[in-house]
Amino acid sequence: MDPKILTLYVIPDRRQGAPRSILEQTAAALEGGATAIQLRDKELSARELTDLASRMTEMCRKKGAKLFVNDRLDVALAAGADGCHLGQSDLPLAAARKLAPRPFLLGRSARTVEQARVALEEGADYLGVGAVYPTGTKDDASVIGVEGLKAVVEFTSLPVVAIGGIGSSSVREVMATGASGVAVVSAVVGTPDPTASAVELLKLMIKP
Amino acid sequence: MDPKILTLYVIPDRRQGAPRSILEQTAAALEGGATAIQLRDKELSARELTDLASRMTEMCRKKGAKLFVNDRLDVALAAGADGCHLGQSDLPLAAARKLAPRPFLLGRSARTVEQARVALEEGADYLGVGAVYPTGTKDDASVIGVEGLKAVVEFTSLPVVAIGGIGSSSVREVMATGASGVAVVSAVVGTPDPTASAVELLKLMIKP
């Protein structure tokens, strides 16, 4: 896959992004130049998720961005999304790859070089690597630090999107590891102006 | 599909079936002659569900029974299960049918003649119709009664499995509507001897 897709990967969140809806957060992030959006929500039914993913896919398409659905490969496929992101406790990747051949995109979370190796072998298109910094988003997020991120980036041939507590003060340090981009929640949707925050992050990522 | 698959459709439940595990409940129900098992669990990760569904599919196959996964079509497909059961708030049925062509089996919950009509049109293989009686299993189960069940059975050309509060005292009345079978939770897995309970239900279903 084109690693540029991963440049600014925004994950709307009904709590951190409140009072904006997931759709409003998506629109604001895309307006600011987000290259990918991930739909991640554990409260909606599959029917509601599918409807939402369909609308978000359309919004992304108009802006040349990609829509990924977290965990639910069936929802991603039913909605015509561009891809699905699978954590280590989500669907077995090899089985997912069989159900969803390329050009459908499959992302996999990987905290270690070993997980990265297996993900490549099983057919991942990109890796989500982190948590780089402590984050309030996931209770169980284990911090691997910039060094941990760098270890995976240097090992793998897959494009890597770094995730976990990344913001304007750390994005340069993260990109210096060779990661293709950053995945963010609060640094975009948790700010008063998500569009401006996305624009600022992208500016910081352009090498001086 | 062969409507005999629906004759005794057992849904293991980690609470109502405690202290037996879902696998133990499955084994006991199959031993008693269950013709179908549905894996329904909202607490396990997709990875755990897929592992469990794979094992249950194998157990069912050895007994000539079918394994359905509730809600998660991706898990059902990844595990090589026989089918998936989709409630009205689960995946849109038409999209699911496209992702999972026959002979993979798709069940759909239907409380009304109108829902039954749409389900047939969208590609369902069978209908789950209920709740026939009040039940503690689903808080939001709306009771349609034996009359409501009969209305759907008489309308649709699809095989119907009746669900909701059905037990040994009501199974004859339910089967008299023309339903192909009964789906049960507590009447099998909630009893001291699930195997014996399954055997008894099946005996009651044989016309005298």
Side-chain angles (χ1 to χ4, degrees):
Chain A
M1 65 176 273
D2 180 355
K4 283 197 205 78
I5 291 170
L6 302 176
T7 308
L8 182 58
Y9 185 119
V10 176
I11 307 170
D13 186 277
R14 63 166 69 227
R15 276 181 201 81
Q16 293 189 58
R20 292 186 185 83
S21 69
I22 287 179
L23 281 179
E24 286 165 343
Q25 295 171 44
T26 300
L30 289 171
E31 195 57 37
T35 54
I37 303 285
Q38 182 186 118
L39 171 56
R40 178 167 78 186
D41 194 288
K42 298 291 181 193
E43 291 174 32
L44 296 174
S45 70
R47 180 185 204 100
E48 293 165 323
L49 267 184
T50 306
D51 289 347
L52 194 52
S54 297
R55 296 183 62 182
M56 291 169 72
T57 300
E58 223 177 288
M59 292 165 72
C60 284
R61 214 147 277 173
K62 282 183 187 154
K63 293 284 190 179
K66 302 289 184 193
L67 194 274
F68 295 88
V69 176
N70 185 61
D71 175 31
R72 295 277 320 222
L73 179 60
D74 47 3
V75 167
L77 293 170
D82 301 291
C84 184
H85 187 85
L86 297 171
Q88 288 285 328
S89 62
D90 294 335
L91 277 186
L93 187 61
R97 185 79 278 173
K98 270 187 214 159
L99 297 175
R102 294 186 174 90
F104 188 88
L105 299 170
L106 286 178
R108 185 67 151 183
S109 302
R111 292 180 57 249
T112 64
V113 162
E114 174 60 13
Q115 289 177 347
R117 189 190 62 71
V118 173
L120 173 64
E121 195 177 287
E122 295 186 338
D125 294 299
Y126 77 87
L127 301 178
V129 179
V132 181
Y133 305 103
T135 161
T137 305
K138 279 195 164 188
D139 300 335
D140 59 349
S142 304
V143 177
I144 60 169
V146 175
E147 286 312 305
L149 167 66
K150 203 174 171 185
V152 176
V153 169
E154 288 179 353
F155 167 81
T156 189
S157 58
L158 288 171
V160 166
V161 63
I163 187 166
I166 301 165
S168 54
S169 63
S170 52
V171 65
R172 280 180 190 271
E173 179 185 36
V174 166
M175 293 303 286
T177 63
S180 297
V182 296
V184 295
V185 185
S186 60
V188 168
V189 304
T191 69
D193 188 342
T195 301
S197 302
V199 169
E200 194 204 339
L201 279 174
L202 284 166
K203 267 191 204 158
L204 291 166
M205 292 167 83
I206 297 165
K207 277 156 195 157
Chain B
M1 65 176 273
D2 181 355
K4 283 196 205 79
I5 292 169
L6 302 176
T7 307
L8 183 57
Y9 186 119
V10 176
I11 307 170
D13 186 276
R14 64 166 69 227
R15 275 179 203 82
Q16 293 190 57
R20 291 186 186 83
S21 69
I22 286 179
L23 280 179
E24 287 165 342
Q25 295 170 45
T26 299
L30 289 171
E31 194 57 37
T35 54
I37 303 285
Q38 182 186 118
L39 172 56
R40 177 166 79 186
D41 194 289
K42 299 291 182 193
E43 292 174 32
L44 296 174
S45 70
R47 182 186 203 99
E48 293 166 322
L49 267 184
T50 305
D51 290 347
L52 194 51
S54 298
R55 295 183 63 183
M56 290 168 72
T57 300
E58 223 178 289
M59 291 165 72
C60 284
R61 213 148 277 172
K62 281 183 188 153
K63 292 284 189 177
K66 302 290 183 191
L67 194 274
F68 295 88
V69 176
N70 186 61
D71 176 30
R72 298 275 321 221
L73 179 60
D74 48 3
V75 168
L77 292 170
D82 302 290
C84 183
H85 187 86
L86 298 170
Q88 288 286 326
S89 62
D90 294 336
L91 276 188
L93 187 60
R97 183 81 279 174
K98 270 187 214 158
L99 297 174
R102 295 186 173 92
F104 188 88
L105 299 171
L106 286 178
R108 183 68 150 183
S109 302
R111 291 180 57 247
T112 64
V113 163
E114 175 58 15
Q115 289 178 346
R117 189 190 62 72
V118 173
L120 173 63
E121 195 177 290
E122 294 186 340
D125 294 300
Y126 77 86
L127 301 178
V129 178
V132 181
Y133 305 103
T135 160
T137 305
K138 280 196 164 185
D139 299 337
D140 59 349
S142 304
V143 177
I144 59 169
V146 174
E147 285 313 306
L149 167 65
K150 203 174 171 187
V152 176
V153 169
E154 287 179 354
F155 167 80
T156 190
S157 59
L158 288 170
V160 166
V161 63
I163 187 165
I166 300 165
S168 53
S169 63
S170 51
V171 65
R172 279 180 190 269
E173 179 185 36
V174 165
M175 293 302 286
T177 64
S180 297
V182 296
V184 295
V185 184
S186 59
V188 168
V189 304
T191 69
D193 187 342
T195 301
S197 302
V199 169
E200 195 204 338
L201 279 174
L202 283 166
K203 266 190 204 159
L204 291 168
M205 293 167 81
I206 297 165
K207 279 157 194 156

